[in-house]
Amino acid sequence: MSTGPQPAGPFPKIELHVHLEATVRPERLLEIARRNDYPLPVETVEGVRRLYQFRDFDHFIEVWILVTNALRREEDFRQVVVDYAGEAADHGAVYIEGIFSPIERVARGVDWDEIFSGYCDGIAEARARHGVEVRFSPDVTRGASVDWAMKMVQVAARYRDRGIVGIGLGGEEARFPPEPFESVFRTARDAGFGSVPHAGEVVGPASIWGALRTLEPDRIRHGIRAVEDPELVEEIRTRGIVLDVCPVSNLRTHAVATPAEHPLPQLVAAGIDCSISTDDPEMFDTDLSRDYALATSYGIAPRTFYEAGLRGALCDAETKASLAGIAATYDWSSVTAGGWSRSPDASPD
């Protein structure tokens, strides 16, 4: 342990998997809904928090769509980025790859450019106000048609120089497999985007194999159920694919029953790079500090997760070099695991 001056504040973190629509605090959500004349089913902060008490994954998706439909204007999307960059910076974030789902918004009457411009406008302000680099990898919605998905990629390509670095696939994994979107992701790769689909969260190895065979992923969002198939674990390790692991989210959605059963330590022990993220922090009552507290409670060094995040980040070489410099100069010996109970009946609270 270092005996010299210790770094001030939380240790640096890279977050690659956070749905920006699910970072909006209740107070801000109510404000946005009022100015957009959007009728939420609740009118108070306490009411919004009660909405977030999910029965299961399907109920979470239902509430997520209901709540995020309040976001309508360019200013709403910009504000979401800047607000979350500030909150994440308080927990040590230096780089964020934010996710948003534009197809759902456009289907409900919001203009493509309203969405993309708003999010991308937030990058410079997030950097200036909070010292956080932000990039984006928007999700194709699994329930959308291939035509809608292609249109999203085409629009994203217009914003590639403004911070769009990847294309994801999100939504109801159990109902919509990845294979139909093979041509969409081929087009995305040809446009210079990374491939970052969700897979292996609520569906087992078949979902991950499907993504590997048809979407050529650079990272997999979640991917934790790979542990059920040793051949798949080896394939992921051999390809050097980074998994975006969201430990508290997995407990909230009941994808994992208890902290003691989480496969994160098995994945890391198998040589797979795992970054740590919050997924839907406001909806799941978590933050980067809490997710890292759980992740490091398995005896895994925080720098391991930072380095995995660095390998998985889709940003330009200059930004990567800057992030690598942060890791190289930080006194990691001063970091201690954040006390999370790992007893079998421990809850995320």
Coordinates of all heavy atoms in Angstrom, one line a residue, residues 294-341:
L294 N -19.8 -4.0 -5.9 CA -20.2 -5.4 -6.1 C -19.1 -6.1 -6.9 O -18.7 -7.2 -6.6 CB -21.6 -5.5 -6.8 CG -22.1 -6.9 -7.1 CD1 -22.0 -7.8 -5.8 CD2 -23.5 -6.9 -7.6
A295 N -18.7 -5.5 -8.0 CA -17.7 -6.2 -8.9 C -16.4 -6.5 -8.2 O -15.8 -7.6 -8.3 CB -17.5 -5.4 -10.1
T296 N -15.9 -5.5 -7.4 CA -14.6 -5.7 -6.7 C -14.8 -6.6 -5.5 O -13.8 -7.1 -4.9 CB -14.0 -4.4 -6.3 OG1 -14.9 -3.6 -5.5 CG2 -13.6 -3.6 -7.6
S297 N -16.0 -6.8 -5.0 CA -16.2 -7.7 -3.9 C -15.8 -9.1 -4.1 O -15.6 -9.9 -3.2 CB -17.6 -7.6 -3.4 OG -18.5 -8.4 -4.2
Y298 N -15.7 -9.5 -5.4 CA -15.2 -10.8 -5.8 C -13.7 -11.0 -5.8 O -13.2 -12.0 -6.2 CB -15.8 -11.2 -7.2 CG -17.3 -11.2 -7.2 CD1 -17.9 -10.1 -7.9 CD2 -18.1 -12.1 -6.6 CE1 -19.3 -10.1 -8.0 CE2 -19.5 -12.1 -6.7 CZ -20.1 -11.0 -7.4 OH -21.4 -11.0 -7.4
G299 N -13.0 -9.9 -5.3 CA -11.6 -10.0 -5.2 C -10.9 -9.6 -6.5 O -9.7 -9.9 -6.7
I300 N -11.6 -8.9 -7.4 CA -11.0 -8.5 -8.7 C -10.6 -7.0 -8.6 O -11.4 -6.2 -8.1 CB -12.0 -8.7 -9.9 CG1 -12.5 -10.1 -9.9 CG2 -11.4 -8.3 -11.2 CD1 -13.8 -10.3 -10.7
A301 N -9.4 -6.8 -9.0 CA -8.8 -5.4 -8.9 C -9.6 -4.4 -9.8 O -9.9 -4.7 -10.9 CB -7.3 -5.4 -9.2
P302 N -9.9 -3.2 -9.3 CA -10.5 -2.2 -10.1 C -9.8 -1.9 -11.4 O -10.5 -1.7 -12.4 CB -10.6 -1.0 -9.2 CG -10.5 -1.5 -7.8 CD -9.7 -2.7 -7.9
R303 N -8.5 -1.9 -11.4 CA -7.8 -1.6 -12.6 C -8.1 -2.6 -13.7 O -8.0 -2.3 -14.9 CB -6.3 -1.5 -12.4 CG -5.5 -1.0 -13.6 CD -4.1 -0.7 -13.3 NE -3.4 -0.2 -14.5 CZ -2.2 0.3 -14.6 NH1 -1.5 0.4 -13.5 NH2 -1.7 0.8 -15.7
T304 N -8.4 -3.9 -13.3 CA -8.7 -4.9 -14.3 C -9.9 -4.5 -15.1 O -10.0 -4.7 -16.3 CB -9.0 -6.2 -13.5 OG1 -7.9 -6.7 -12.9 CG2 -9.5 -7.3 -14.5
F305 N -10.9 -3.9 -14.4 CA -12.1 -3.5 -15.1 C -11.9 -2.2 -16.0 O -12.4 -2.1 -17.0 CB -13.2 -3.2 -14.1 CG -13.6 -4.4 -13.3 CD1 -13.6 -4.4 -11.9 CD2 -14.0 -5.6 -14.0 CE1 -14.0 -5.5 -11.2 CE2 -14.4 -6.7 -13.3 CZ -14.4 -6.7 -11.9
Y306 N -11.0 -1.3 -15.5 CA -10.7 -0.1 -16.2 C -10.0 -0.5 -17.5 O -10.3 0.0 -18.6 CB -9.8 0.8 -15.4 CG -9.5 2.1 -16.1 CD1 -10.3 3.3 -15.8 CD2 -8.5 2.3 -17.1 CE1 -10.1 4.5 -16.4 CE2 -8.3 3.5 -17.7 CZ -9.0 4.6 -17.4 OH -8.8 5.8 -18.0
E307 N -9.0 -1.4 -17.4 CA -8.3 -1.9 -18.6 C -9.2 -2.6 -19.6 O -9.1 -2.4 -20.8 CB -7.1 -2.8 -18.2 CG -6.1 -2.1 -17.3 CD -5.2 -1.1 -18.1 OE1 -5.4 -1.0 -19.3 OE2 -4.3 -0.5 -17.4
A308 N -10.2 -3.4 -19.1 CA -11.1 -4.0 -20.0 C -12.0 -3.0 -20.7 O -12.2 -3.1 -21.9 CB -12.0 -5.0 -19.2
G309 N -12.4 -1.9 -20.0 CA -13.2 -0.9 -20.6 C -12.4 -0.1 -21.6 O -12.9 0.2 -22.7
L310 N -11.1 0.0 -21.4 CA -10.2 0.7 -22.4 C -10.1 -0.1 -23.6 O -10.2 0.4 -24.7 CB -8.8 0.9 -21.7 CG -7.8 1.6 -22.6 CD1 -8.3 3.0 -23.0 CD2 -6.5 1.7 -21.9
R311 N -10.0 -1.5 -23.5 CA -9.9 -2.3 -24.6 C -11.2 -2.3 -25.4 O -11.2 -2.4 -26.7 CB -9.5 -3.7 -24.2 CG -8.0 -3.9 -23.9 CD -7.6 -5.3 -23.7 NE -8.1 -5.8 -22.4 CZ -7.4 -5.7 -21.2 NH1 -6.2 -5.1 -21.3 NH2 -7.8 -6.2 -20.1
G312 N -12.3 -2.2 -24.7 CA -13.6 -2.3 -25.4 C -14.1 -1.0 -26.0 O -14.9 -1.0 -26.8
A313 N -13.5 0.2 -25.5 CA -14.0 1.5 -26.0 C -13.8 1.6 -27.5 O -12.8 1.2 -28.0 CB -13.2 2.6 -25.2
L314 N -14.8 2.2 -28.1 CA -14.8 2.4 -29.6 C -14.3 3.8 -30.0 O -14.5 4.1 -31.2 CB -16.2 2.1 -30.1 CG -16.8 0.7 -29.9 CD1 -18.2 0.6 -30.3 CD2 -15.9 -0.3 -30.6
C315 N -13.8 4.6 -29.1 CA -13.4 5.9 -29.4 C -12.1 5.9 -30.3 O -11.5 4.9 -30.5 CB -13.2 6.7 -28.2 SG -12.0 5.9 -27.0
D316 N -11.7 7.1 -30.7 CA -10.6 7.3 -31.6 C -9.3 7.0 -30.8 O -9.3 7.0 -29.6 CB -10.5 8.7 -32.1 CG -10.6 9.8 -31.0 OD1 -11.7 10.1 -30.5 OD2 -9.5 10.2 -30.6
A317 N -8.2 6.9 -31.6 CA -6.9 6.5 -30.9 C -6.4 7.6 -30.0 O -5.8 7.3 -28.9 CB -5.9 6.3 -32.0
E318 N -6.6 8.9 -30.3 CA -6.2 9.9 -29.4 C -6.9 9.9 -28.0 O -6.2 10.0 -27.0 CB -6.4 11.3 -30.1 CG -5.9 12.5 -29.2 CD -6.1 13.8 -29.9 OE1 -6.6 13.8 -31.1 OE2 -5.8 14.8 -29.3
T319 N -8.2 9.7 -28.1 CA -8.9 9.6 -26.8 C -8.5 8.3 -26.0 O -8.3 8.4 -24.8 CB -10.4 9.5 -27.1 OG1 -10.8 10.7 -27.8 CG2 -11.2 9.4 -25.8
K320 N -8.3 7.2 -26.7 CA -7.8 6.0 -26.1 C -6.5 6.2 -25.4 O -6.2 5.8 -24.3 CB -7.7 4.8 -27.1 CG -9.0 4.1 -27.2 CD -8.7 2.6 -27.7 CE -10.0 1.8 -27.6 NZ -9.8 0.4 -27.8
A321 N -5.6 6.9 -26.1 CA -4.3 7.2 -25.5 C -4.4 8.1 -24.2 O -3.7 7.8 -23.3 CB -3.4 7.9 -26.5
S322 N -5.3 9.0 -24.3 CA -5.5 9.8 -23.1 C -6.1 9.0 -21.9 O -5.6 9.1 -20.8 CB -6.5 10.9 -23.4 OG -6.8 11.7 -22.3
L323 N -7.0 8.1 -22.2 CA -7.5 7.2 -21.2 C -6.5 6.2 -20.6 O -6.4 6.0 -19.4 CB -8.7 6.4 -21.7 CG -10.0 7.2 -22.2 CD1 -11.0 6.3 -22.9 CD2 -10.6 7.9 -21.0
A324 N -5.6 5.8 -21.5 CA -4.5 4.9 -21.1 C -3.6 5.7 -20.2 O -3.0 5.1 -19.2 CB -3.8 4.4 -22.3
G325 N -3.4 6.9 -20.5 CA -2.5 7.8 -19.6 C -3.1 7.9 -18.2 O -2.3 8.0 -17.2
I326 N -4.4 8.0 -18.1 CA -5.0 8.1 -16.8 C -4.7 6.9 -16.0 O -4.3 7.0 -14.8 CB -6.5 8.3 -17.0 CG1 -6.8 9.7 -17.5 CG2 -7.2 8.1 -15.6 CD1 -8.3 9.9 -17.9
A327 N -4.8 5.7 -16.6 CA -4.6 4.5 -15.9 C -3.1 4.4 -15.5 O -2.8 3.9 -14.4 CB -5.0 3.3 -16.8
A328 N -2.2 4.8 -16.4 CA -0.8 4.6 -16.2 C -0.3 5.5 -15.0 O 0.7 5.2 -14.3 CB 0.0 5.0 -17.4
T329 N -0.9 6.7 -14.8 CA -0.4 7.6 -13.8 C -1.2 7.6 -12.5 O -0.8 8.2 -11.5 CB -0.5 9.0 -14.4 OG1 -1.9 9.4 -14.7 CG2 0.4 9.2 -15.6
Y330 N -2.3 6.8 -12.5 CA -3.1 6.7 -11.2 C -2.5 5.8 -10.2 O -1.9 4.7 -10.6 CB -4.5 6.3 -11.6 CG -5.5 6.4 -10.4 CD1 -6.0 7.7 -10.0 CD2 -5.8 5.3 -9.6 CE1 -6.8 7.8 -8.9 CE2 -6.6 5.5 -8.5 CZ -7.1 6.7 -8.2 OH -8.0 6.8 -7.1
D331 N -2.6 6.1 -9.0 CA -2.0 5.3 -7.9 C -3.1 4.2 -7.5 O -3.8 4.4 -6.6 CB -1.6 6.1 -6.7 CG -1.1 5.3 -5.6 OD1 -0.8 4.1 -5.8 OD2 -0.9 5.8 -4.4
W332 N -3.1 3.1 -8.3 CA -4.1 2.1 -8.0 C -3.9 1.4 -6.7 O -4.8 0.8 -6.2 CB -4.1 1.1 -9.2 CG -4.6 1.7 -10.5 CD1 -3.8 2.2 -11.5 CD2 -5.9 1.8 -10.9 NE1 -4.6 2.6 -12.5 CE2 -5.9 2.4 -12.2 CE3 -7.2 1.5 -10.3 CZ2 -7.0 2.7 -12.9 CZ3 -8.3 1.8 -11.1 CH2 -8.3 2.4 -12.3
S333 N -2.7 1.5 -6.2 CA -2.4 0.8 -4.9 C -3.2 1.4 -3.8 O -3.4 0.8 -2.7 CB -0.9 0.8 -4.6 OG -0.5 2.2 -4.3
S334 N -3.8 2.6 -4.0 CA -4.5 3.3 -2.9 C -6.0 2.8 -2.9 O -6.7 3.2 -2.0 CB -4.5 4.8 -3.1 OG -5.2 5.1 -4.3
V335 N -6.4 2.0 -3.9 CA -7.8 1.7 -4.0 C -8.1 0.4 -3.2 O -7.4 -0.6 -3.3 CB -8.2 1.4 -5.5 CG1 -9.6 1.0 -5.6 CG2 -7.9 2.7 -6.3
T336 N -9.2 0.5 -2.5 CA -9.7 -0.7 -1.7 C -11.0 -1.0 -2.2 O -11.8 -0.2 -2.7 CB -9.8 -0.4 -0.2 OG1 -10.6 0.8 0.0 CG2 -8.4 -0.1 0.4
A337 N -11.4 -2.3 -2.1 CA -12.7 -2.8 -2.6 C -13.8 -2.1 -1.7 O -13.6 -1.9 -0.5 CB -12.8 -4.3 -2.4
G338 N -14.9 -1.7 -2.4 CA -16.0 -1.0 -1.7 C -16.9 -2.0 -1.1 O -17.5 -2.8 -1.8
G339 N -17.1 -2.0 0.2 CA -17.8 -3.0 1.0 C -19.2 -3.4 0.5 O -20.1 -2.8 0.9
W340 N -19.2 -4.5 -0.2 CA -20.5 -5.0 -0.7 C -20.7 -6.4 0.0 O -19.8 -7.2 -0.1 CB -20.6 -5.2 -2.2 CG -21.9 -5.7 -2.7 CD1 -22.4 -6.9 -2.6 CD2 -22.9 -4.9 -3.3 NE1 -23.6 -7.0 -3.1 CE2 -24.0 -5.8 -3.6 CE3 -23.0 -3.6 -3.7 CZ2 -25.1 -5.4 -4.2 CZ3 -24.2 -3.2 -4.3 CH2 -25.2 -4.0 -4.6
S341 N -21.8 -6.7 0.6 CA -22.1 -8.0 1.2 C -22.3 -9.0 0.1 O -23.0 -8.8 -0.8 CB -23.3 -7.9 2.1 OG -23.7 -9.2 2.5

